[in-house]
Amino acid sequence: GYFLSYRFEDFEANGTEWKELPGCQNVTRMECDFSSAITKYYDKHHVRIRAERGEEVSPWSSIFDMIPYFIAQIGPPGIELQSTNGVIKIKVSPPEANQVRKMWIAHLRFKYNLVIWENSSNAEFRSQSIFPTDIIDDLAPDTTYCLKVQATLPLDAQEGLFSPIRCVKTTRKVNDILCATNVSVLALNMKFHLHWNNQYKQHVSYNVQYLIGYLKKLDDDYSVKWLKVPGCQNITDTQCSFSSIINSTGFYYLRVQAVNEYNKSCLSNEVKVDPLTTNEIGPPAVKVDISDVLLHIQISPPGGSESEVMRDYYDLSYRVLYWKNSSNNEEEIKMKEIKQTIGTVSDLTPATLYCVKVQAFSEVYNKSSHYSKEECIKTPGDKILPLIILATFVTALIAVLLVATPLIFALYEVYNKIKYVFFPSCQPPLNIEGFGGQLLSSPYLSTTEEPIENCSIIETIITEEVNQIDFKDYKHSQQSSRDSGNYSNDDDTSGSKVSDETLEKGIV
């Protein structure tokens, strides 16, 4: 017989002791069931085996290591079917649903794959993902279909066993003209509208209902959890806005209930709304401006500045087309992609009409808007030549000023010197006219007619002159001047004396 023993790594008890594996002692088959010994599905277990015959015992085999959760096979789910009104209603129960001890405790993580086909010799298999409670439609009436379901854990890359095959025959669908048909969703810039068609020619009113999507992932019955859409109750229109219930995350199901004048009602087919996937991106708004060398493009995101969802969740980029709007049809349309809402275009041709249009797009959601309305603007004329002329004129003017300013200043100084020497503003006193007085006096005016101004002698000037002329010579010259009699005048005598005294004091 074969004997198996095991141990598992218990970090709390530091378990290293080998134990006999229940149900696997002295077995004669090449297999045994030791499920009762596995209590910790995420711990590593070590298993070994040896054979015994009589008193002969083989050595222990090499150790087999395993973690039960990762080597276990997901079992088949249970299914219940109901054929009604041309569709098949299916209810799936998770694996281990009837077991007390469960390895797959997070049963909400299960995803279910359905395979369905007609029960015929040339059947085509169709696969689709379903919820635990779901409806299979688009089926031929009065036809037998067979199906099976598999449970999977995509995050763990684990696939389970398929359920046993079950077959069921469909019925004919009753065409109730009261029901709303062709239910569809139109969504632009996160504004959502539900549209449907009306077949009923009498008075009819409509109620729009919605279901939060995650409720379908639960095993519970969600048929009583449908809610009313505000503003879409007892309406006669065949469209209604349901933007008020939409959040950017999660998904929803909507349906339309039609009610006639006799209070008979009928429910339409359901339509799924995944907001960021269902929604379409509208064109952005564009403004253009121009400077001497750049074309400035300002973009307003789709939906306007109030639509934060369009900006934040879509992470939009912009495709800018620009071209010269001329009679030449061969002008090339150029394109650039930017992330910001402000862009520029350089290398502009003067006096040319440029046109721009912009498209918004999201790489993550593989969505793009229509192009915006064209915006055109004309570049200014060629200003290069006027700028060159202006720069040349300013440079020449500055050069002239730099050269002329020192020259004018020098001429002004020379003019002041000449004026001071040859055209003094006042007559010198009579007592110093002897120092070249003959040269300074005007030959055209007599002494009596010559205008005389009252002048005073600045002591510093006299001091400088005295320093150059010997004082004795000065006295002698002064005496000679008085003897000459050229300026003999009784009125000047006193003035000469005063001047003489003044000079002596200045020298001292």
Side-chain angles (χ1 to χ4, degrees):
Y2 297 97
F3 296 83
L4 276 72
S5 64
Y6 79 101
R7 68 180 182 185
F8 66 91
E9 296 180 1
D10 189 342
F11 294 100
E12 295 180 359
N14 294 324
T16 58
E17 179 183 355
W18 289 91
K19 301 178 182 179
E20 291 183 352
L21 200 56
C24 295
Q25 301 299 310
N26 198 22
V27 294
T28 57
R29 301 187 305 273
M30 304 292 290
E31 61 181 26
C32 69
D33 183 359
F34 58 95
S35 302
S36 60
I38 304 299
T39 58
K40 297 182 181 295
Y41 298 117
Y42 292 91
D43 291 344
K44 181 180 288 188
H45 289 65
H46 310 279
V47 180
R48 64 182 183 178
I49 185 173
R50 73 179 180 182
E52 294 183 4
R53 187 176 61 182
E55 295 182 356
E56 296 179 328
V57 179
S58 72
W60 287 105
S61 67
S62 59
I63 297 174
F64 171 68
D65 297 330
M66 68 169 184
I67 298 176
Y69 181 84
F70 291 109
I71 68 169
Q73 177 75 54
I74 300 175
I79 57 174
E80 297 178 13
L81 303 177
Q82 180 185 2
S83 177
T84 177
N85 198 23
V87 300
I88 297 176
K89 292 183 177 181
I90 184 171
K91 182 175 177 57
V92 181
S93 55
E96 303 180 308
N98 299 322
Q99 297 182 16
V100 177
R101 294 178 60 234
K102 295 180 175 61
M103 177 179 291
W104 320 107
I105 55 176
H107 62 275
L108 295 181
R109 295 175 55 201
F110 280 121
K111 305 292 183 183
Y112 297 103
N113 293 329
L114 168 73
V115 178
I116 186 170
W117 64 94
E118 291 185 16
N119 189 14
S120 62
S121 57
N122 56 349
E124 294 184 1
F125 291 85
R126 186 178 80 181
S127 298
Q128 65 184 77
S129 178
I130 62 172
F131 291 111
T133 302
D134 213 334
I135 294 176
I136 309 169
D137 52 10
D138 296 332
L139 303 176
D142 297 326
T143 304
T144 300
Y145 285 88
C146 296
L147 53 84
K148 58 183 180 179
V149 179
Q150 174 193 44
T152 66
L153 291 173
L155 295 179
D156 297 332
Q158 291 181 304
E159 295 185 353
L161 300 175
F162 276 97
S163 66
I165 297 174
R166 297 281 304 275
C167 297
V168 64
K169 186 176 181 179
T170 59
T171 61
R172 288 190 173 273
K173 186 175 182 178
V174 177
N175 184 18
D176 191 344
I177 61 174
L178 177 61
C179 292
T181 58
N182 298 329
V183 181
S184 61
V185 175
L186 295 180
L188 182 66
N189 294 337
M190 299 304 290
K191 304 297 182 182
F192 294 84
H193 290 81
L194 191 68
H195 294 254
W196 60 91
N197 291 341
N198 177 19
Q199 301 181 101
Y200 196 67
K201 302 304 179 181
Q202 306 299 323
H203 175 76
V204 61
S205 61
Y206 298 101
N207 299 312
V208 180
Q209 303 172 349
Y210 75 97
L211 178 73
I212 299 175
Y214 81 89
L215 294 175
K216 282 198 171 188
K217 295 182 177 181
L218 306 179
D219 297 332
D220 301 335
D221 182 13
Y222 59 81
S223 61
V224 296
K225 296 182 180 180
W226 288 82
L227 303 174
K228 299 178 180 179
V229 176
C232 296
Q233 301 300 306
N234 296 322
I235 61 175
T236 57
D237 292 336
T238 56
Q239 63 177 4
C240 189
S241 171
F242 61 96
S243 303
S244 60
I245 69 165
I246 294 296
N247 194 317
S248 57
T249 58
F251 60 100
Y252 306 83
Y253 288 88
L254 286 99
R255 67 185 184 184
V256 179
Q257 179 191 39
V259 182
N260 66 7
E261 62 270 29
Y262 306 108
N263 284 333
K264 179 185 176 183
S265 65
C266 180
L267 292 172
S268 69
N269 292 334
E270 302 170 8
V271 58
K272 180 180 178 181
V273 178
D274 187 349
L276 295 178
T277 302
T278 306
N279 178 62
E280 296 296 333
I281 302 174
V286 180
K287 291 182 180 179
V288 293
D289 193 8
I290 203 159
S291 63
D292 290 339
V293 294
L294 291 177
L295 175 64
H296 301 275
I297 303 168
Q298 184 176 353
I299 304 170
S300 297
S305 58
E306 297 180 357
S307 183
E308 297 180 359
V309 174
M310 296 298 297
R311 252 190 347 264
D312 300 338
Y313 285 88
Y314 280 105
D315 190 22
L316 294 174
S317 300
Y318 300 96
R319 189 173 290 114
V320 180
L321 299 184
Y322 62 97
W323 66 94
K324 297 178 183 178
N325 192 357
S326 63
S327 58
N328 184 7
N329 295 329
E330 297 181 357
E331 289 291 346
E332 180 183 1
I333 297 178
K334 298 181 180 180
M335 183 192 73
K336 64 185 305 183
E337 293 183 359
I338 58 177
K339 291 284 293 181
Q340 301 80 13
T341 55
I342 295 178
T344 58
V345 175
S346 58
D347 300 331
L348 303 180
T349 303
T352 303
L353 186 65
Y354 280 88
C355 292
V356 177
K357 61 181 180 180
V358 180
Q359 179 189 50
F361 67 95
S362 169
E363 293 183 354
V364 175
Y365 289 91
N366 193 26
K367 288 180 176 292
S368 60
S369 72
H370 294 293
Y371 277 96
S372 66
K373 182 181 177 181
E374 295 179 6
E375 292 291 333
C376 300
I377 192 170
K378 189 173 184 179
T379 58
D382 193 352
K383 293 185 178 181
I384 297 177
L385 182 58
L387 289 176
I388 293 175
I389 295 174
L390 179 61
T392 304
F393 174 75
V394 171
T395 304
L397 182 60
I398 294 174
V400 170
L401 291 176
L402 291 176
V403 174
T405 301
L407 181 59
I408 292 173
F409 180 76
L411 292 175
Y412 179 74
E413 290 295 324
V414 172
Y415 167 75
N416 285 339
K417 294 294 183 182
I418 294 174
K419 182 179 178 183
Y420 175 76
V421 174
F422 294 101
F423 304 100
S425 60
C426 62
Q427 283 288 347
L430 294 176
N431 56 358
I432 63 172
E433 287 183 356
F435 296 95
Q438 296 293 336
L439 297 174
L440 297 176
S441 61
S442 175
Y444 302 103
L445 295 175
S446 63
T447 305
T448 58
E449 295 177 352
E450 183 178 358
I452 300 174
E453 299 179 5
N454 292 328
C455 298
S456 61
I457 301 174
I458 301 174
E459 294 181 4
T460 56
I461 298 175
I462 301 303
T463 304
E464 292 175 0
E465 293 180 358
V466 172
N467 289 337
Q468 298 175 5
I469 305 171
D470 187 77
F471 181 73
K472 291 181 182 181
D473 293 340
Y474 171 75
K475 295 289 287 183
H476 175 71
S477 174
Q478 187 71 19
Q479 184 65 34
S480 299
S481 176
R482 282 198 294 267
D483 293 343
S484 65
N486 291 336
Y487 296 93
S488 59
N489 195 320
D490 294 338
D491 295 336
D492 293 337
T493 306
S494 61
S496 299
K497 290 179 181 180
V498 174
S499 300
D500 191 23
E501 292 174 2
T502 306
L503 287 172
E504 289 179 0
K505 290 180 181 180
I507 293 170
V508 174

